[in-house]
Amino acid sequence: MNWDIIEGNWKQAKGKFKEQWGKLTDDDFDTIQGHREQLSGKIQERYGITKDDAEKQIKEWQDRASDDWFR
């Protein structure tokens, strides 16, 4: 799925992100506001992983994302 779609539907996407990355707080999501780079940074911070690992996880999540999530 294109990241622009995710960013444009951020409120709906937050629930799916919370399922994947439960350590992220509501304040984190308010800060991220759909920006992929900020999401990556918060995942790194909360999970103690490298930027490459965070980006890999985001890419895998994005590949599984479905248009049905935003209907």
Side-chain angles (χ1 to χ4, degrees):
M1 173 174 287
N2 182 307
W3 192 261
D4 291 334
I5 295 171
I6 294 167
E7 188 173 2
N9 292 284
W10 184 243
K11 288 184 180 184
Q12 295 93 329
K14 282 193 317 186
K16 295 294 184 181
F17 280 113
K18 286 179 182 181
E19 290 175 13
Q20 178 73 31
W21 295 286
K23 290 183 181 180
L24 297 180
T25 66
D26 287 334
D27 286 342
D28 290 336
F29 287 111
D30 290 343
T31 300
I32 294 164
Q33 285 298 310
H35 299 281
R36 185 185 176 110
E37 299 81 23
Q38 294 209 10
L39 174 62
S40 177
K42 289 294 183 183
I43 292 170
Q44 292 171 60
E45 180 183 324
R46 297 284 182 225
Y47 288 87
I49 61 176
T50 65
K51 181 178 182 177
D52 288 343
D53 286 341
E55 287 294 328
K56 181 181 176 188
Q57 287 183 19
I58 293 168
K59 171 83 171 90
E60 289 170 353
W61 182 94
Q62 186 176 351
D63 289 345
R64 289 190 315 269
S66 167
D67 289 338
D68 293 338
W69 292 0
F70 305 115
R71 292 185 186 177

